[in-house]
Amino acid sequence: MLYYLTKRLGLSAVVIGLVVLVLFSLLHFIPGDPATIALGPRATEEAIARYAEKMHLNEPVWRQFLIYIGNALTGDLGLDVFSDRPVTAIIMERICFTLALVGAGMGWAMLLGIPLGCLAAVKPNSWLDRVTGVLSVGTIAVPSFLVSIWALLIFAVQLRWLPAIGAGEPGQIGDQLMHLILPAFAIGLSWVGYLARMVRASMLEVMGENYIRSARAFGLQPRRVIFGYALRVAILPTITLIGMGFGGMISSTVFAEIIFARPGLGKLIFDAVMARNFPIVQGAVLVATGLYILVVLFSDILIAWFDPRVRESL
Amino acid sequence: MPKDALHSPETLLDVRNLSVDFRTPRGRVKALRDISFPIRKNRIVGIVGESGSGKSTVLWALLGLLAKNADVMGGEVRFGDRDLLQASEAQLRATRGEEISVVFQDPMTSQIPVLTYGRQMLDILYRRPNVSAAEKRRLAVEMLGKVGIPDPDKRIDQYPHHFSGGMRQRAGIAMALLTGPQLLLADEPTTALDVTMEAQIIHLLQDLQKELDATVVVVSHNLGLIAELCDDVVVMYAGEVIEAGEVREIFHNAQHPYTRALLECDPARIDDVSRKLPVIPGDIPDLTKPRSGCIYAPRCQRALPVCHETLPPDVARGETSLARCHLLDGLHHDPSWPPPLDVMTVGQEGSAGTKPARAKHDAALLEVSELNVQFETIGPLRARLKGLSQRHVDAVLDVGLSVAPGETVGLVGESGSGKTTLGRCVLNLVPSQAGSVRFEGKEIRNMPEARFKPLRRDMAMMFQDPVGSLSPRKSVRALITEPFQIHDITGVDLDAEAERLAEMVRLPKHFLSRYPHELSGGQARRVGVARALALNPKLIIADEPTAGLDVSVQGEILNLMADLQAEHGLGYLIITHNLPVVRHIADRLAIMYLGRIVEEGRTDEVFARPVHPYTRALVEGVPQPDPDRRRVHVSISGEVPSLLNRPKGCDFAGRCPFAQDRCRAEKPPHVTMADGRRHACHFPLG
C-alpha cells in the first residue's frame, strides 16, 4: 500500500510538472512582451525594464521555468498583474466556492443517479427503467450551460423562487445554500443521467453473477442482496467514473459560474484570460489540475478499500 | 414411481408432474416435461443427465429461483405439507437457506469476492434475532472447523480469494449447512475441482450427511461421482425422467436404453483399452418442437416404429424403481431386454479399426529437454524494497518430453501443475528461461515470431473451451479457412478447402454457414479440430480436448482424433486432467506436479503399476462408475502447494503417505528405469 501510494504520488508529481511546462511554454508562444502587457501601452521604458528585472524576464527561459517551479513548490504562484496581490491568496478565496459547487453538483447527482440506476437494473424493462433510460439520454444530451440559462430564466426570473446571481452574503449559510441550488442543479443534471446509466449497466451485469444467485438461494432479503451484495461490487467502476468526471465537472463550473456570476475558480480563470492576467491563469489551472489528480487518486484508493483483491495487490 | 411410495412418510420432498418452459427467441423450450420423483428422507439422491437434460432446472425449480424467462406450466413440489410452487416469495425466502440449502458448482464464482466468510455466514443467519452476533460467529467458526478448514477462527475473517478451490468448496458446504437444513442441494459440487480434491469433497459430503442426518440431492453429469456418493439415482434426458431407482439397480441393472448407453460410453468404465470409444449417435432433440413418442427414440439403437409415435409407459419394478420404455412392458415387451452387462448396446462410430502399428521413427517430432519457465512475481524495485532475493516462481522445472510422429502423449496434471504453460511454451507463446525445445531437430525455443511463424503451420493448437475459442462473429466457413489467411496462403480455393475440412471432421456441409452459438459443444469442437488441421500440421497440441463435452459426445471427438492420426501420422500432445480419457488415447503419459514431471512411461504400464505415489493417488482418485467399487478412504489429503512456497525436497512430500526425511530434504532427480520409464521419486513404489 505504501509502495503504491509513493508510486502514485510520484506519477502525479510528473503530471503536474508536465502541466506547468505546457502552461509555461504557452505563455512564451503568445506574441507580445509580458511586461508591456502588464504595465499597459503607456508605460515608460524605465518602468518596463524595472518590471522585467523584478519578474526575472531577462533570464533564459529554462531559468524562468525553474524559478517558477521553485516558487510554486513553496506556495508562491506569483502576483496578480493588476492588483499585485499574491495569486495563491486570490485562488484560495475563490476555490471554496468552486469546491462547494462541484461537491453539491456531484452530490445530488450521486444521491439521485445511483439509486435510480439500481432500481432500473433490478426491474429491467419496467416503466421505471424506461423512464430512467429516456431521462438519462435526455439529460446527458443537454449541455450544462443551456440548463444553466433555462434554470435561471425559469426558477429565478419567472418564478422568483431562487436567487439569480452571486454566491450569497458571506457568513450567511442559508443564503449561500439558496444561491448554490440553481448552479448545482445545472452542472449535476447530466451526471444524474451518466451515473444512472453506468450503475444500471454494471448492476445488470453483477445481478447475473453466480454469487448473487447464491445470496438469493440462501434466502437473503432482496434489499440486502441488492445494496449489500450487488451494489457493493457494481459501484466499483462507477467510483472511477465519478473520479474522472470531477475533471469534466470543473470545466462545467466555468459556464455555471459565468452565467450565475459566482465568484469561483472557473470565473476567475475566465476573467483572467479575458484580461490577459497570466499569473492568475497559470496558477488557477495548476490548482485545478492538482485537484483533479488528487480526486482521481482518492477514487482509486476508495476502490481498493471496497475491493479486498485490489487492496492486497497494491 | 409406484403411487404409494409418493405418500410414504419417509418422503421429504416430492416432485409431481412438474413442467417448465423457457421463453426464448427461438420459441418456447420445453425444458421439463411432466417429471415426477420423490426424494426420500436421509438419502443421497443423484440427478444425473447430460447438458440440456434439465437437471439444473429441476434444482432451481425446487428453490423457486428459475430464470426470469422460465414459466412453470404445471405440477407440484410437495415439501412437508406445502407446495413450493404455490408459496409466496416471502415464504420461499424463509425456506431457502433455512430448510433447503445449496452447495454450488463453481466455488470460484459463487461466493462474493468483496465480503469475508464471516460476513457472508452472519448474513445467512439473519433470521435468528435471538442469537447474538458473537454466538453466530461461534456457530460459523464451528461449522468451518467441521468441514475441515484449519484455523477456522482466523480464516473466517478472510475473503474467498484467500482460499484455494478445494477450501472454497468446503467453505461453501459450511455455509449451506450452517442453518441445519433438512434438504441440501448440491449442483455439480466437484466439477470445478481437481481429482484429488474431488475425492475429499465426496467423502466430506458423505460423512456430513451421516452425521447430520440430512437429505442430499446431488445434480451431476459425472457417473463416477453419482455411483460413489448416492443411494438413489434419477436419470434425466431432454427434460424427462427416463429412469429412477436405487444406485445399484441403475448401475448394474439399467432398464432404459439411454441409461445403458450412457454407462457404456463412460471411458472410466471401459477396461478394454481399444482405440474406439462407444458413442450415442445424434444430438439431443430440439426441445422447441412438439414431441411425439419417446424422447430418446431418434438416438435409440432399439427404437421400434411405436417408439416414435406413442409415449412409452412408466414401468415400475419393485418399490422404488421405474423406467420409461416400450421394451419393458405392454405389447412391445421384449424379455431379452436389457441384455447382460457385458453386451454392448451402442456401437462404435465408424470403422472399428485398431490403430495401425506405427513405423518406428527414431527422429522425434518434438523434443523438449531440461525446459524451465519462470514467471516474475514481483517487480525488481519492490523486491529490493522488501528485501526479497527470489523474484520468480518456477512454473515449469527441468521438463523433458518427446513426441514421435503418429504418437499420442498425454500430459496429465491438476490445476497449477504447469501443463498448460508447458504447452504454450512449446508453441512459443511463453518465453522460457533455460533448456531446449526441438521441433524436427531444429531448436525453436524463444525463436523470434517472424522466424517462428512458418513453423506454426506444422504445429497447431486445439484450445480448451470449444465454443469460447471461436470468434462469435465468424461463420464456420470463415473460421476453418482462417488459418490460410493468417499465413497468407493464396491460390487455394477457400470454399473447396472449407468443404474438404468439414468432411474430414464429419461436419455436415450446411453447418459451414452457421455461427458458433448455433453449434453444440461437440460440433464446436469439430470446428476446432478442423481449424487445427487446416494447414496439414505434423503436431497438434490439444488442451483439454474433451472438457465441457458430454460423455456421449466425447467418444466421437476422441475417435475422430484417432482416425485423423492414423490417416495423417499426426503427433498429439494432449494436455488434460482427465485420466480415463487419456488412458484410452495416449501411448505414453507424463504426469506433472508443480511444474515437474514426476513420472513418465507407457500408458498401460503407468496405469497398471504406478511408480510415483502421486500417480497412484491420481489413478485411484477417479471415482468409479460402480457403486460396488466405492473407496473407503481417500488416498491423499491436502492440496497442491503454491508455487510461491515450493517445498525444499520432493514437491509431493507434504502430501505423500510414504514420505520420509530424505524426501523433505532433497529433491529427487529424474531416474530412468530399465523398462524406459522415468520417475522422480526417492522411494518408487514396487
Side-chain angles (χ1 to χ4, degrees):
Chain A
M1 190 70 190
L2 193 69
Y3 174 82
Y4 174 76
L5 267 185
T6 325
K7 195 168 91 179
R8 285 297 301 264
L9 286 175
L11 282 174
S12 307
V14 173
V15 172
I16 293 187
L18 283 174
V19 169
V20 175
L21 186 65
V22 170
L23 284 172
F24 198 83
S25 331
L26 276 181
L27 278 192
H28 280 268
F29 289 128
I30 293 172
D33 175 30
T36 322
I37 295 167
L39 301 179
R42 276 174 292 174
T44 59
E45 289 283 319
E46 192 191 350
I48 290 175
R50 219 179 322 118
Y51 187 83
E53 183 65 30
K54 186 178 131 203
M55 293 288 169
H56 307 285
L57 291 175
N58 301 326
E59 304 273 355
V61 177
W62 62 270
R63 280 212 53 154
Q64 292 185 33
F65 181 64
L66 286 186
I67 291 169
Y68 183 76
I69 293 247
N71 287 342
L73 281 178
T74 56
D76 175 9
L77 294 171
L79 295 177
D80 180 4
V81 174
F82 300 113
S83 66
D84 257 3
R85 291 179 57 210
V87 171
T88 318
I90 296 177
I91 291 173
M92 283 305 145
E93 276 168 20
R94 304 291 194 92
I95 199 166
C96 310
F97 292 107
T98 300
L99 286 181
L101 181 55
V102 171
M106 194 56 104
W108 87 267
M110 278 159 65
L111 284 180
L112 191 63
I114 295 176
L116 217 53
C118 269
L119 293 176
V122 171
K123 291 209 161 90
N125 300 324
S126 61
W127 65 267
L128 181 78
D129 184 25
R130 284 166 211 271
V131 170
T132 307
V134 171
L135 279 185
S136 307
V137 177
T139 56
I140 293 169
V142 182
S144 71
F145 61 86
L146 264 188
V147 180
S148 303
I149 293 171
W150 280 103
L152 193 74
L153 283 176
I154 296 172
F155 295 105
V157 178
Q158 287 292 322
L159 299 172
R160 296 179 181 273
W161 288 352
L162 292 162
I165 54 168
E169 289 298 312
Q172 288 185 10
I173 301 293
D175 190 38
Q176 289 189 337
L177 283 180
M178 290 301 276
H179 280 87
L180 196 56
I181 292 176
L182 278 185
F185 169 76
I187 64 167
L189 187 63
S190 64
W191 278 89
V192 178
Y194 273 128
L195 290 177
R197 278 183 79 86
M198 182 78 184
V199 169
R200 178 184 184 270
S202 43
M203 273 298 271
L204 271 182
E205 200 183 313
V206 173
M207 289 300 279
E209 292 283 347
N210 283 345
Y211 49 78
I212 297 302
R213 200 182 57 182
S214 307
R216 295 175 63 206
F218 285 130
L220 301 194
Q221 295 145 301
R223 195 160 26 95
R224 179 92 190 115
V225 175
I226 293 166
F227 294 105
Y229 281 62
L231 186 59
R232 223 191 133 94
V233 178
I235 199 73
L236 297 175
T238 310
I239 294 178
T240 310
L241 180 79
I242 293 172
M244 307 284 275
F246 205 79
M249 207 159 228
I250 290 177
S251 35
S252 336
T253 60
V254 176
F255 293 115
E257 284 171 354
I258 294 166
I259 293 168
F260 292 99
R262 272 178 73 86
L265 209 55
K267 182 140 185 356
L268 182 69
I269 295 175
F270 174 76
D271 290 342
V273 169
M274 292 314 247
R276 300 206 160 204
N277 194 347
F278 292 113
I280 297 269
V281 177
Q282 244 176 347
V285 171
L286 189 62
V287 169
T289 312
L291 263 180
Y292 178 54
I293 288 174
L294 275 182
V295 171
V296 171
L297 180 66
F298 179 72
S299 70
D300 284 355
I301 291 171
L302 204 63
I303 286 176
W305 183 67
F306 266 102
D307 190 337
R309 292 163 300 180
V310 178
R311 195 188 312 154
E312 281 155 35
S313 65
L314 299 183
Chain B
M1 192 70 40
K3 287 292 170 220
D4 41 331
L6 300 180
H7 302 288
S8 77
E10 60 169 343
T11 303
L12 176 68
L13 185 139
D14 193 7
V15 179
R16 289 187 212 167
N17 308 102
L18 178 64
S19 296
V20 174
D21 281 8
F22 286 108
R23 298 182 304 272
T24 71
R26 291 187 300 123
R28 293 184 85 84
V29 173
K30 305 214 167 287
L32 294 181
R33 281 183 315 281
D34 196 19
I35 65 160
S36 303
F37 62 89
I39 291 165
R40 293 192 281 163
K41 251 185 201 140
N42 302 339
R43 310 275 286 183
I44 304 185
V45 181
I47 302 181
V48 67
E50 297 183 287
S51 49
S53 64
K55 57 187 189 299
S56 297
T57 309
V58 173
L59 190 132
W60 296 114
L62 298 190
L63 284 167
L65 280 179
L66 286 167
K68 284 192 177 141
N69 63 339
D71 289 330
V72 175
M73 304 304 287
E76 279 180 86
V77 175
R78 308 284 324 170
F79 182 61
D81 53 357
R82 285 167 292 168
D83 177 3
L84 291 181
L85 295 181
Q86 303 299 327
S88 70
E89 187 55 34
Q91 286 169 325
L92 276 176
R93 218 159 41 235
T95 309
R96 287 182 208 140
E98 286 286 340
E99 292 169 277
I100 303 181
S101 206
V102 201
V103 174
F104 297 94
Q105 170 166 10
D106 182 359
M108 295 297 168
T109 60
S110 62
Q111 295 166 0
I112 185 157
V114 298
L115 298 178
T116 62
Y117 280 112
R119 181 74 247 168
Q120 295 186 44
M121 292 175 89
L122 244 59
D123 278 350
I124 294 169
L125 291 173
Y126 80 97
R127 284 158 287 211
R128 319 249 162 125
N130 304 330
V131 184
S132 71
E135 177 66 10
K136 284 178 183 170
R137 188 184 155 91
R138 199 190 58 73
L139 285 172
V141 169
E142 193 185 358
M143 189 50 81
L144 283 177
K146 203 177 254 176
V147 298
I149 288 176
D151 293 330
D153 51 335
K154 288 201 187 64
R155 303 214 65 171
I156 192 172
D157 292 320
Q158 292 187 330
Y159 293 92
H161 68 276
H162 293 128
F163 282 44
S164 66
M167 282 295 162
R168 280 189 189 197
Q169 194 57 305
R170 283 174 193 269
I173 294 173
M175 285 199 267
L177 293 176
L178 190 59
T179 52
Q182 299 171 45
L183 179 62
L184 179 68
L185 310 176
D187 183 18
E188 303 269 9
T190 63
T191 303
L193 303 176
D194 282 320
V195 180
T196 54
M197 211 60 226
E198 176 175 44
Q200 295 177 31
I201 294 292
I202 291 176
H203 282 89
L204 178 67
L205 279 174
Q206 255 168 349
D207 294 346
L208 288 171
Q209 187 262 340
K210 281 196 202 92
E211 190 184 328
L212 304 173
D213 271 340
T215 309
V216 181
V217 174
V218 182
V219 169
S220 182
H221 70 285
N222 184 337
L223 295 169
L225 169 89
I226 297 283
E228 178 135 346
L229 186 59
C230 297
D231 305 314
D232 298 329
V233 180
V234 176
V235 184
M236 292 191 64
Y237 177 76
E240 289 184 19
V241 172
I242 51 118
E243 184 159 5
E246 292 194 2
V247 65
R248 281 193 176 70
E249 283 290 299
I250 296 287
F251 279 87
H252 292 161
N253 191 11
Q255 299 291 307
H256 195 282
Y258 173 69
T259 316
R260 250 323 261 273
L262 193 65
L263 290 168
E264 285 172 16
C265 286
D266 188 348
R269 202 164 163 277
I270 306 163
D271 290 328
D272 166 36
V273 188
S274 70
R275 285 289 151 183
K276 288 283 185 173
L277 285 163
V279 295
I280 306 177
D283 278 313
I284 203 159
D286 184 350
L287 296 180
T288 54
K289 304 238 164 73
R291 144 194 87 156
S292 63
C294 172
I295 191 78
Y296 182 60
R299 299 175 76 185
C300 185
Q301 307 271 317
R302 295 291 305 263
L304 306 165
V306 65
C307 297
H308 294 280
E309 284 146 22
T310 319
L311 182 68
D314 283 344
V315 184
R317 192 162 39 93
E319 287 283 291
T320 52
S321 295
L322 100 173
R324 177 177 282 187
C325 183
H326 282 299
L327 292 174
L328 300 174
D329 199 19
L331 272 178
H332 306 279
H333 178 59
D334 181 350
S336 71
W337 180 267
L341 277 183
D342 50 344
V343 176
M344 292 288 269
T345 62
V346 284
Q348 285 105 329
E349 197 187 45
S351 61
T354 50
K355 192 182 175 185
R358 273 198 331 275
K360 280 280 171 213
H361 283 276
D362 287 329
L365 193 59
L366 175 76
E367 197 157 22
V368 178
S369 62
E370 299 293 311
L371 184 70
N372 280 279
V373 179
Q374 294 183 327
F375 289 139
E376 194 178 82
T377 54
I378 185 169
L381 186 65
R382 269 180 110 166
R384 190 164 302 170
L385 283 174
K386 292 194 172 176
L388 297 172
S389 56
Q390 182 56 271
R391 297 204 294 114
H392 299 95
V393 293
D394 295 298
V396 171
L397 188 60
D398 298 336
V399 162
L401 191 73
S402 71
V403 182
E407 186 184 39
T408 304
V409 176
L411 186 60
V412 179
E414 296 182 286
S415 49
S417 63
K419 55 189 193 299
T420 299
T421 307
L422 176 58
R424 291 166 148 261
C425 187
V426 167
L427 284 169
N428 222 347
L429 299 171
V430 172
S432 50
Q433 272 65 40
S436 88
V437 180
R438 288 173 181 278
F439 183 72
E440 297 189 307
K442 192 167 152 199
E443 178 64 60
I444 56 167
R445 190 173 76 85
N446 292 352
M447 197 183 252
E449 184 59 32
R451 278 176 57 215
F452 189 78
K453 195 176 172 191
L455 286 172
R456 292 204 186 276
R457 300 172 61 166
D458 293 333
M459 313 164 80
M461 178 96 183
M462 269 168 64
F463 294 97
Q464 181 164 4
D465 178 357
V467 181
S469 58
L470 301 176
S471 165
R473 282 158 209 216
K474 291 197 164 166
S475 66
V476 169
R477 184 191 308 274
L479 284 166
I480 60 183
T481 52
E482 201 178 17
F484 293 99
Q485 279 153 6
I486 292 171
H487 288 276
D488 292 326
I489 297 169
T490 48
V492 289
D493 179 355
L494 289 183
D495 285 340
E497 281 299 319
E499 284 178 20
R500 177 183 69 89
L501 287 165
E503 194 178 330
M504 206 149 120
V505 297
R506 298 176 206 139
L507 199 64
K509 249 179 218 164
H510 61 268
F511 275 93
L512 286 176
S513 53
R514 294 205 182 175
Y515 286 83
H517 68 270
E518 298 170 294
L519 304 176
S520 71
Q523 290 157 353
R525 183 41 94 200
R526 280 164 195 269
V527 174
V529 176
R531 254 172 88 92
L533 288 174
L535 301 175
N536 295 319
K538 295 168 181 160
L539 175 71
I540 288 187
I541 297 175
D543 194 357
E544 302 281 7
T546 61
L549 297 184
D550 282 320
V551 175
S552 65
V553 182
Q554 90 182 4
E556 283 178 34
I557 297 297
L558 296 175
N559 292 347
L560 173 69
M561 286 175 67
D563 287 349
L564 293 169
Q565 180 172 50
E567 209 172 308
H568 302 277
L570 297 169
Y572 285 132
L573 179 62
I574 293 185
I575 299 168
T576 185
H577 69 281
N578 190 333
L579 278 165
V581 163
V582 279
R583 183 168 166 219
H584 283 271
I585 54 172
D587 301 301
R588 280 189 303 122
L589 280 189
I591 315 283
M592 267 185 105
Y593 187 76
L594 220 59
R596 265 190 114 201
I597 290 186
V598 296
E599 179 164 355
E600 196 229 308
R602 285 191 29 212
T603 305
D604 46 349
E605 288 176 359
V606 172
F607 269 91
R609 202 166 49 81
V611 170
H612 197 284
Y614 177 62
T615 315
R616 188 157 103 175
L618 280 186
V619 171
E620 289 175 355
V622 181
Q624 294 297 317
D626 182 348
D628 288 341
R629 283 162 69 190
R630 289 187 180 185
R631 290 160 299 176
V632 277
H633 64 96
V634 182
S635 50
I636 54 170
S637 55
E639 293 186 64
V640 183
S642 157
L643 283 173
L644 288 170
N645 32 35
R646 180 186 284 280
K648 182 163 162 281
C650 175
D651 296 323
F652 189 57
R655 301 172 74 192
C656 182
F658 312 105
Q660 301 184 22
D661 288 343
R662 188 175 159 209
C663 302
R664 283 180 270 273
E666 197 184 320
K667 211 160 235 50
H670 285 112
V671 178
T672 306
M673 291 171 31
D675 59 355
R677 269 165 98 178
R678 290 195 309 142
H679 66 81
C681 181
H682 288 304
F683 307 102
L685 303 167

